[in-house]
Amino acid sequence: MYAQLVETGSKRLKTLEEMGPEERAFQEKIDAEIKIEPKNWMPESYRKTLIRQISQHAHSEIVGMLPEGNWVTRAPSLKRKLQLMAKIQDEAGHGLYLYSAMETLGADRDEEVEKLHTGKAKYSSIFNYPTLNWADIGVVGWLVDGAAIVNQVPLQRTSYGPYARAMVRVCKEESFHQRQGYEILLTMMQKGNDAQKAMVQDAINRLWWPALMMFGPRDDDSPNSAQSMAWKIKRHTNDELRQRFIDQTVPQLELLGCTAPDPELKFNEETGHYDHGDIEWQEFYDVIQGNGPCNRDRIATRKKAIDDGAWVREAAAAYAEKQKQQHQAA
Amino acid sequence: MTQQEALQQYLLRLADSDMVLGQRLCELCGHAPALEEELALMNLGLDLIGQARNWYEYAAELEGKGNDADYLAFRRDAGEFRNLLLVEQPNGDYAMTMARQFFFDAWHYQTLQALVNSSDERIAQVAGKAIKEVTYHLRRSIEWMKRLGNGTEESHQRMEVAVEELWRFTGELIEADEVDLMMAEAGIGADPEAVKSAWKQMVTDVMTEATLTLQDENAWMHVGGKRGIHTEHLGFLLAEMQFLPRAYPDAVW
């Protein structure tokens, strides 16, 4: 999940009777599964919530280029390097679709990016963890993109049309990346030497819990979920999605011949699901408050890229203006 | 030098130049001046490294020692690399990155256009695919030469510095040596005279339109890359790029 904690500004749901006529018509449309489009009336809080969520999602795609970009110059074969470059290119593309979807709500891309750089806007906590060996690139593809897909598949039916349509395109590419990530790990485990196998297990040990945190806080600590679900921005609760992810991931973990760093992880015959140990929620809140291992570096890098590039963007704008004037004079 | 040896050298020059420039573009991941540029730089790098792989595969087959494309990219040291000195130059600011790209793209485009008609079918086939990609690279780098050269005062100044800084590496693109001449004579490689005049014409036209100062044609030129004598930059680039395959020589990735 790339948008883990999105303020909706409401702690209690309004009943249809409490709503004004416009808001009631809006809610009835949502309940009837009719998509909301940019020119339709929408409550201001729905608009703001979506801007927060979609921008968080877009920022995550962009910041998410950094932990992978960290290994692109060191990828160990031509095939792996090309795959990783294609993946990073797709992520920049996802960022673009998402910023476009966000702009249909009246937000401005540059202003939202500025909020990211000043720490007012968030991005997924997962990208604040470092990539320390090559297997991390496989694990990021498998677990991180895997968790993103579990979240994004239902978002293809989210109530806001432009967001739902962006998710259809994003999901296709993400599924491809996830398979490639898993294949990196499978190759290392099945054809690799002991050092490579140790890299895979080490990467899983470090990224397992952070991947589970991508689904956001527990349902009983997720005050904004009820409103997001009533608006059908979210279609499932955090814990439901997390459980779905664990259930589908554990067999893949076993196929690799690796283990999760969770001694309590085991299949529960009664529920038909995997039970798991407690997540370190303090770590999660530390990370989203800016105190994860890479938060400072990630933001500093993005801010520096945009600040250092100011003269390039100014030049492009000045040149475009000169061209326009020449056309008018001609 | 036999024709076979010259062909091997010729292929490595094409492959290594694509590979090293692709590696430089990888370094920019996450650091571009705009999101659209992140996308474009990764796209360019992907094309170049894809082309490098195609050239390496052919070179490895001809070599016949059982080495593969990965071996050629990741196990040869700087002295065995045959890339142009221009492409190993550091990214610098965006003007430097774009000037390097333009000088290279203009050469690459002219060369590939000739190679499409190579008497060596494999070369003609690889070039035929690459020329489509490089046509786009060139269009893009010409656009950036114009935007930065004729944008703001600052961008103009930076582009002037970049062009002046990189000019000394451009001679190697257009001055033929024994390998180039042998390949041209055999109808396998591009005709160096044709590439040279087309390259010069394009550079003059684009720099003039970009309001940039034309550089001295007779300036001293720094050469050596095509013979394996590089600048000090290449060793560091390869140390980073080759680390994993060298640290774990028996590994399958």
Side-chain angles (χ1 to χ4, degrees):
Chain A
M1 188 181 216
Y2 283 168
Q4 291 156 310
L5 258 190
V6 181
E7 269 300 315
T8 56
S10 76
K11 304 292 175 215
R12 187 185 71 84
L13 296 186
K14 280 189 204 168
T15 62
L16 283 176
E17 289 69 37
E18 288 173 296
M19 294 176 185
E22 277 179 316
E23 193 171 358
R24 186 187 302 193
F26 169 84
Q27 188 61 50
E28 283 168 353
K29 217 166 144 181
I30 298 262
D31 293 342
E33 298 283 338
I34 298 168
K35 291 272 178 275
I36 307 301
E37 295 299 338
K39 287 183 177 166
N40 296 155
W41 186 89
M42 61 187 84
E44 207 37 41
S45 49
Y46 176 85
R47 181 189 305 276
K48 283 192 175 143
T49 300
L50 270 172
I51 291 172
R52 282 190 207 106
Q53 175 155 343
I54 302 174
S55 67
Q56 232 182 86
H57 198 154
H59 298 332
S60 300
E61 296 283 357
I62 303 312
V63 176
M65 293 167 67
L66 298 175
E68 295 183 322
N70 185 39
W71 280 91
V72 72
T73 56
R74 291 178 290 167
S77 71
L78 291 165
K79 174 177 153 187
R80 295 302 180 208
K81 200 178 187 77
L82 290 165
Q83 283 176 347
L84 184 57
M85 293 174 86
K87 179 176 187 207
I88 293 169
Q89 193 191 353
D90 283 348
E91 279 156 6
H94 298 169
L96 277 180
Y97 309 154
L98 286 160
Y99 283 125
S100 300
M102 180 199 78
E103 290 193 319
T104 65
L105 292 156
D108 177 77
R109 174 172 133 186
D110 293 341
E111 282 171 23
E112 297 303 316
V113 168
E114 180 64 24
K115 285 183 197 164
L116 171 70
H117 295 172
T118 53
K120 282 185 204 138
K122 303 217 180 303
Y123 55 91
S124 178
S125 59
I126 192 73
F127 301 120
N128 292 310
Y129 289 87
T131 47
L132 300 177
N133 79 49
W134 169 252
D136 287 27
I137 298 307
V139 171
V140 167
W142 170 48
L143 290 183
V144 174
D145 289 51
I149 292 164
V150 166
N151 178 59
Q152 287 166 359
V153 165
L155 282 178
Q156 295 178 96
R157 296 185 295 118
T158 197
S159 60
Y160 188 59
Y163 192 26
R165 290 188 288 272
M167 283 302 106
V168 173
R169 294 186 64 174
V170 168
C171 279
K172 277 186 203 152
E173 293 177 349
E174 297 274 22
S175 306
F176 186 65
H177 300 159
Q178 196 212 5
R179 280 200 299 277
Q180 279 183 342
Y182 190 66
E183 202 252 327
I184 288 175
L185 302 176
L186 213 49
T187 306
M188 289 174 79
M189 290 305 294
Q190 293 181 346
K191 297 184 186 162
N193 58 31
D194 289 348
Q196 289 176 289
K197 288 177 189 168
M199 282 181 204
V200 175
Q201 186 62 57
D202 171 57
I204 293 170
N205 291 348
R206 283 181 286 103
L207 291 166
W208 177 263
W209 290 109
L212 297 187
M213 292 177 195
M214 290 174 68
F215 296 92
R218 277 202 317 250
D219 291 349
D220 56 15
D221 194 21
S222 187
N224 297 291
S225 287
Q227 182 64 74
S228 273
M229 289 184 65
W231 280 331
K232 297 193 179 175
I233 295 176
K234 272 174 92 154
R235 313 286 316 209
H236 304 279
T237 73
N238 295 350
D239 286 336
E240 278 168 21
L241 292 171
R242 186 164 19 241
Q243 187 65 55
R244 184 178 296 178
F245 173 71
I246 293 170
D247 289 345
Q248 76 176 38
T249 302
V250 174
Q252 296 166 3
L253 181 71
E254 287 169 351
L255 185 64
L256 283 176
C258 291
T259 56
D262 178 0
E264 292 172 55
L265 184 74
K266 66 167 195 296
F267 191 69
N268 181 330
E269 295 287 350
E270 267 173 49
T271 60
H273 294 291
Y274 282 88
D275 292 338
H276 63 90
D278 289 334
I279 291 171
E280 292 266 350
W281 290 110
Q282 189 52 49
E283 176 180 322
F284 170 75
Y285 288 107
D286 285 343
V287 173
I288 58 170
Q289 269 145 35
N291 298 317
C294 298
N295 297 58
R296 271 172 183 260
D297 289 345
R298 298 289 187 243
I299 290 301
T301 301
R302 288 306 308 152
K303 188 172 171 351
K304 186 173 187 315
I306 295 304
D307 290 351
D308 287 356
W311 69 272
V312 178
R313 299 189 303 276
E314 283 159 18
Y319 179 75
E321 184 57 31
K322 284 181 193 174
Q323 292 294 101
K324 202 173 98 188
Q325 283 178 2
Q326 263 180 15
H327 277 293
Q328 281 167 354
Chain B
M1 191 184 307
T2 65
Q3 186 169 309
Q4 179 79 4
E5 284 163 351
L7 175 57
Q8 184 71 12
Q9 289 296 307
Y10 197 74
L11 288 170
L12 285 178
R13 290 173 181 188
L14 289 165
D16 289 341
S17 288
D18 286 344
M19 187 71 208
V20 169
L21 185 55
Q23 178 72 6
R24 283 289 184 223
L25 295 173
C26 284
E27 292 170 8
L28 290 169
C29 175
H31 306 284
L35 191 44
E36 287 78 358
E37 291 303 292
E38 296 285 357
L39 210 62
L41 294 174
M42 235 1 86
N43 190 351
L44 242 61
L46 193 60
D47 288 345
L48 289 171
I49 295 177
Q51 291 169 23
R53 180 165 66 171
N54 292 335
W55 296 128
Y56 281 139
E57 277 170 0
Y58 188 25
E61 284 171 34
L62 285 177
E63 193 188 43
K65 289 186 193 161
N67 294 328
D68 59 6
D70 278 329
Y71 181 93
L72 293 178
F74 295 103
R75 303 293 178 91
R76 285 177 307 138
D77 208 343
E80 296 164 275
F81 263 69
R82 293 290 180 266
N83 61 280
L84 297 160
L85 296 178
L86 176 71
V87 298
E88 71 197 43
Q89 298 313 303
N91 291 322
D93 66 5
Y94 216 56
M96 202 71 84
T97 297
M98 285 302 142
R100 182 186 65 197
Q101 195 68 41
F102 169 64
F103 290 144
F104 177 77
D105 290 345
W107 169 82
H108 204 196
Y109 176 81
Q110 301 300 345
T111 301
L112 288 173
Q113 244 193 354
L115 294 185
V116 168
N117 300 314
S118 171
S119 63
D120 182 308
E121 266 178 45
R122 180 77 170 267
I123 289 184
Q125 182 204 337
V126 171
K129 188 170 171 288
I131 187 76
K132 292 180 198 138
E133 296 168 345
V134 172
T135 303
Y136 157 74
H137 301 178
L138 178 64
R139 201 171 69 206
R140 214 186 94 77
S141 58
I142 290 175
E143 275 304 308
W144 274 112
M145 290 300 286
K146 293 195 286 189
R147 282 183 211 168
L148 296 181
N150 192 16
T152 61
E153 210 167 297
E154 182 183 4
S155 71
H156 176 81
Q157 209 45 49
R158 284 175 182 262
M159 196 39 108
E160 290 276 64
V161 170
V163 164
E164 205 203 329
E165 174 71 20
L166 293 174
W167 187 253
R168 67 201 153 112
F169 299 111
T170 59
E172 196 177 36
L173 276 60
I174 50 174
E175 287 312 323
D177 66 3
E178 191 191 356
V179 170
D180 297 312
L181 293 173
M182 272 183 82
M183 286 296 98
E185 227 161 277
I188 296 172
D191 170 15
E193 282 310 311
V195 170
K196 183 177 187 168
S197 66
W199 184 87
K200 279 186 169 179
Q201 189 62 51
M202 180 172 281
V203 167
T204 304
D205 291 349
V206 170
M207 291 202 10
T208 305
E209 205 187 332
T211 71
L212 294 164
T213 311
L214 292 176
Q215 302 292 303
D216 178 6
E217 280 197 30
N218 301 313
W220 177 82
M221 287 293 167
H222 191 149
V223 297
K226 295 201 286 193
R227 288 180 287 119
I229 312 293
H230 291 275
T231 62
E232 288 180 342
H233 300 296
L234 187 65
F236 288 94
L237 182 145
L238 295 181
E240 182 173 344
M241 185 174 101
Q242 299 180 334
F243 156 68
L244 276 173
R246 288 198 184 265
Y248 303 96
D250 64 334
V252 177
W253 303 97

